[in-house]
Amino acid sequence: MIAPPVRLLIAFFFVISMAGFSQSFSPDEIIRLQKQAKRVTIIKDKYGVPHVYTKTDADAVFGMMYIQCEEFFEKVEATLINRLGRQAEIEGEKQIYNDLWTRMFVDSTKAIQYYHQSPRWLQKLCEGYANGINFYLWSHPDKKPKLINRVEPWICLMNNVPAMRGANITEAEVRALYGKPGARVSYLPNDVFDEQQATGSNGWAIAPTRTKNGNAMLLINPHSEFYGRIEIQLVSKQGLNVYGAPFLGQFNIFQGFNEHCGWMHPITMADSKDLYLEHIEKENGRYFYRYNNALRSLDSTQITIRYKQGDSLLVKTFTTYRTHHGPVVAQRGNQWVSLKTLEANIELLAANWLKTKSKNFDAFKTHINTRTLTGNNIIYADRAGNIAYWHGNFVPIRDPNLDWKQPVDGSSLNTEWQGTHGLDEVPHFINPSSGFVQNCNSTPLFGAGVFDTLIAKKPVYMLPDGHTPRAMSAIRLLPNLQNATIDDVIRAAHDTYLANGERFIPQLTQSYYAMAADTAFSALASPIQALQNWDFRADTLSVATTLAVLWMEKIVELNLKNLPKPSSPEDQYAVSNGANVTLKDISPQKQLAILAEVVSGLRKDFGSWQILGAKSIVFSEMQRVSLIVIVSQAGP
């Protein structure tokens, strides 16, 4: 059961006097908003976590969005502006092509259509969403939004825009195609993941056979910043009682639990979108593309983007194109590139809500069986003792002989999707004999501990994720959890062992001794000794931790540069998160030269290379290292 709130901070919304009246809302609208607000009770416990109590689900959503605005209005508004494709109205020309990208996939016209096509229960939730934000805007006349003065319920259906970088497209390519027709751009794949990933999402589910109280346990470590995110409980008399974390600006509990089950969604690279090389021809001023030995007319749409310039608001109109695969988003060589992805806005919004009301394993599986969740894995546990893990959710069926990490031929029938893999076809584990499942943005091959030979036979497009250091730590720790309590799980989750330290630091020390005759590296004797004596655990009093993490950062950067070009998001992410790092192509001399660079940098910045991890809280560069140690490699 979800624990009751501890201390009352907010009892009831009150009816605000007409002094708060905003010209954006009519008197009838204000009366309606006030009536709905009076049906909502919000209580904050001693930790500041809000608990929302209502009669209906729609009122619960109203309360959630009001409290999101009360605590993080700027971030909620930023989400709305981004979703509408209106960032350029605030930030100017630099955001024009990001707005264009958004509007090529969904705009207000489509969203209104989706809203009217939605079942009435979902429309009510969308209305509760808009009303909660609007009530906040009206009741806080001192709050000056950057752009959003009122919200319409259809904005909830603008919820399925693929990330540009995640699609292996750069803004420079979009700009070259639509900003200056006919221009050429050098494709820079490292623009997609040009930084190491200093955060990660980790999920564990532990079966009753491994716990002291005989109940399943679920560890949820969301991929989010420590601050600037809300946790919340929603309770309604329509059967809703859920606790967890939504993304700001959204009303679904993305990962959390109710009285019956819990769910967690690590980010996945399981392939759910594809780029197509289109063969374009122009006849009589019109564009066509070749498909199955015939010409098809390109659909075209005019999109007008407003953008800020000084104190003025200017407009720029683009003619964008679309094939049956999806929007044309880039040009490579003489071919245009279209992006195919799932367009199921209504089903996605509905599935994310309905799963929060699941009462058992079968119900949960029914809701996720719409297979509309893109970019996420699923870790699950319930009060009946079931645990499960699905790697991906929406995974199209494709020709396994093609390399789907790269653009494929758009003119061929052989590159079409052939339906969607069922839940029982994607890599998954349900109540495995190991007694646990885990995913840490990692491959499913070790999802239940040992290498799974059956999953290894799946199509390669299901298995692009590498074996991350966090996953290595998880499968090192989880088999040792026997008769476990929640405190045991928490201790395991904060284990400071660095898997990549044990993988690579011994190779570095071996390189040093192999090069002992080279006087160029004689000054590294003491740093090498510190690393050789290290137990591969992060410690704020450890000089070796500082040396190892800074050295590994540079090794990862070098691995990224050494990827074959053009490299895919899957390839880049599996290096940047530490999974596919290697020293194979880095000579002993280069390994030592990088360590010498680290030592020199520490001396320059701090006067000594013997810097303890504890000093990382003082210096910004070392702060970044501390985050990598704690979050990326030290276990979930």
Side-chain angles (χ1 to χ4, degrees):
M1 291 290 290
I2 297 175
V6 178
R7 183 158 61 94
L8 181 66
L9 292 185
I10 301 176
F12 290 91
F13 283 126
F14 51 89
V15 178
I16 298 178
S17 70
M18 292 303 288
F21 177 75
S22 166
Q23 295 298 328
S24 298
F25 303 99
S26 70
D28 287 344
E29 286 179 306
I30 294 170
I31 291 171
R32 177 171 51 81
L33 292 173
Q34 289 176 323
K35 286 182 177 179
Q36 188 166 12
K38 291 172 69 176
R39 299 196 298 264
V40 179
T41 300
I42 297 180
I43 299 173
K44 285 188 177 180
D45 62 28
K46 68 178 182 180
Y47 302 105
V49 174
H51 304 258
V52 179
Y53 299 92
T54 67
K55 290 184 178 180
T56 69
D57 290 357
D59 287 347
V61 171
F62 178 104
M64 175 197 267
M65 297 317 302
Y66 177 88
I67 205 70
Q68 282 193 31
C69 290
E70 187 175 73
E71 298 195 4
F72 299 107
F73 176 74
E74 288 75 15
K75 290 190 174 185
V76 172
E77 185 185 22
T79 298
L80 297 172
I81 293 171
N82 177 269
R83 188 180 294 174
L84 288 164
R86 298 179 64 185
Q87 294 182 87
E89 294 179 43
I90 302 300
E91 301 180 43
E93 289 183 87
K94 65 180 181 180
Q95 293 293 352
I96 285 178
Y97 293 94
N98 287 318
D99 287 349
L100 180 64
W101 175 273
T102 298
R103 301 268 291 278
M104 282 194 288
F105 291 93
V106 64
D107 58 18
S108 59
T109 301
K110 282 187 179 179
I112 292 170
Q113 293 173 353
Y114 293 149
Y115 172 73
H116 289 297
Q117 293 167 5
S118 298
R120 182 58 189 144
W121 66 265
L122 188 58
Q123 289 179 349
K124 289 181 179 180
L125 298 183
C126 296
E127 291 159 7
Y129 172 96
N131 290 344
I133 298 174
N134 288 337
F135 182 72
Y136 174 83
L137 289 169
W138 171 78
S139 61
H140 291 72
D142 56 320
K143 179 64 69 173
K144 303 301 181 186
K146 293 180 179 178
L147 184 66
I148 305 298
N149 292 308
R150 66 180 300 132
V151 173
E152 300 295 338
W154 45 258
I155 196 173
C156 299
L157 280 305
M158 301 180 77
N159 64 341
N160 200 13
V161 177
M164 187 186 299
R165 289 189 168 195
N168 211 18
I169 296 295
T170 66
E171 183 184 333
E173 290 186 292
V174 179
R175 183 187 298 270
L177 178 64
Y178 286 118
K180 296 178 180 179
R184 294 292 185 269
V185 61
S186 297
Y187 177 57
L188 302 175
N190 283 342
D191 285 350
V192 180
F193 288 105
D194 53 2
E195 295 180 352
Q196 294 184 47
Q197 304 301 305
T199 56
S201 43
N202 312 290
W204 300 353
I206 303 167
T209 55
R210 289 187 171 272
T211 66
K212 186 172 183 178
N213 61 12
N215 295 322
M217 290 188 185
L218 177 67
L219 174 76
I220 300 175
N221 163 220
H223 185 176
S224 63
E225 64 270 37
F226 189 77
Y227 298 100
R229 184 84 177 270
I230 194 171
E231 291 183 25
I232 194 168
Q233 181 186 10
L234 303 178
V235 182
S236 85
K237 293 185 177 180
Q238 290 185 322
L240 179 69
N241 187 6
V242 61
Y243 179 99
F247 287 107
L248 289 174
Q250 299 182 19
F251 67 76
N252 288 302
I253 299 295
F254 184 67
Q255 35 204 11
F257 59 92
N258 61 28
E259 302 149 296
H260 309 284
C261 61
W263 53 94
M264 195 273 170
H265 296 300
I267 291 175
T268 186
M269 296 303 289
D271 207 359
S272 59
K273 53 185 175 291
D274 291 305
L275 295 175
Y276 286 83
L277 295 173
E278 308 288 7
H279 302 259
I280 304 298
E281 298 183 21
K282 191 174 184 180
E283 293 183 4
N284 300 321
R286 296 180 58 198
Y287 286 108
F288 299 83
Y289 67 103
R290 187 162 294 281
Y291 180 72
N292 194 27
N293 297 318
L295 287 180
R296 289 189 176 189
S297 178
L298 268 174
D299 291 335
S300 64
T301 302
Q302 284 200 328
I303 297 176
T304 297
I305 304 294
R306 292 181 290 185
Y307 63 98
K308 182 179 179 182
Q309 189 174 86
D311 295 328
S312 301
L313 197 61
L314 307 180
V315 298
K316 191 174 183 66
T317 298
F318 301 89
T319 300
T320 62
Y321 298 95
R322 171 184 284 264
T323 73
H324 71 283
H325 294 125
V328 174
V329 294
Q331 180 173 353
R332 296 184 184 172
N334 294 321
Q335 294 175 293
W336 285 3
V337 181
S338 62
L339 174 61
K340 185 175 180 65
T341 187
L342 175 69
E343 298 184 14
N345 300 52
I346 299 171
E347 295 82 357
L348 175 62
L349 190 63
N352 272 322
W353 179 262
L354 290 172
K355 76 181 182 190
T356 68
K357 302 182 76 170
S358 301
K359 294 184 177 180
N360 52 49
F361 177 82
D362 289 339
F364 184 86
K365 186 176 178 182
T366 296
H367 297 319
I368 65 170
N369 198 32
T370 56
R371 285 164 285 156
T372 55
L373 307 180
T374 59
N376 297 290
N377 300 320
I378 303 170
I379 302 289
Y380 170 91
D382 65 31
R383 67 186 303 172
N386 297 301
I387 63 172
Y389 160 28
W390 291 271
H391 194 78
N393 183 253
F394 171 75
V395 182
I397 300 170
R398 289 163 253 171
D399 184 345
N401 298 311
L402 298 177
D403 181 6
W404 291 94
K405 291 189 290 186
Q406 298 295 332
V408 295
D409 182 4
S411 68
S412 172
L413 287 171
N414 296 330
T415 59
E416 292 296 342
W417 293 355
Q418 303 298 320
T420 306
H421 287 285
L423 280 183
D424 295 332
E425 296 175 350
V426 302
H428 69 280
F429 301 91
I430 298 173
N431 297 323
S433 59
S434 65
F436 67 84
V437 293
Q438 65 78 29
N439 182 261
C440 304
N441 308 123
S442 50
T443 176
L445 293 170
F446 299 91
V450 298
F451 182 87
D452 192 291
T453 56
L454 291 178
I455 288 180
K457 297 177 182 178
K458 298 282 187 182
V460 292
Y461 57 72
M462 291 184 175
L463 308 169
D465 310 79
H467 193 28
T468 63
R470 288 173 283 122
M472 296 175 199
S473 294
I475 62 174
R476 172 179 170 271
L477 293 163
L478 287 167
N480 298 324
L481 289 177
Q482 300 285 353
N483 203 32
T485 66
I486 190 170
D487 290 330
D488 295 328
V489 176
I490 291 172
R491 277 191 293 272
H494 289 86
D495 186 89
T496 59
Y497 164 79
L498 301 184
N500 271 357
E502 187 168 3
R503 286 177 67 198
F504 297 117
I505 294 303
Q507 296 183 56
L508 174 62
T509 59
Q510 289 173 16
S511 294
Y512 172 79
Y513 290 113
M515 302 291 298
D518 191 337
T519 58
F521 302 118
S522 57
L524 296 178
S526 294
I528 286 291
Q529 189 63 51
L531 289 169
Q532 194 167 5
N533 294 336
W534 186 39
D535 62 359
F536 310 117
R537 290 186 173 276
D539 192 326
T540 56
L541 299 178
S542 166
V543 171
T545 298
T546 302
L547 291 171
V549 172
L550 287 173
W551 182 77
M552 279 302 305
E553 278 193 326
K554 293 182 180 298
I555 293 298
V556 170
E557 290 171 2
L558 191 56
N559 271 244
L560 284 170
K561 291 178 181 177
N562 288 341
L563 284 174
K565 307 297 188 295
S567 54
S568 69
E570 294 90 344
D571 291 330
Q572 295 163 35
Y573 188 69
V575 171
S576 64
N577 66 18
N580 289 356
V581 178
T582 179
L583 295 180
K584 181 171 63 71
D585 298 318
I586 304 177
S587 69
Q589 292 94 332
K590 184 63 175 177
Q591 295 172 33
L592 294 171
I594 291 172
L595 180 61
E597 185 180 341
V598 168
V599 170
S600 175
L602 288 170
R603 283 185 174 135
K604 178 181 178 182
D605 292 339
F606 308 115
S608 170
W609 62 268
Q610 295 174 304
I611 301 300
L612 302 178
K615 289 194 175 182
S616 67
I617 61 174
V618 180
F619 304 101
S620 61
E621 174 62 22
M622 296 299 289
Q623 238 177 355
R624 181 164 171 255
V625 174
S626 179
L627 285 171
I628 293 173
V629 170
I630 293 169
V631 182
S632 290
Q633 293 185 344

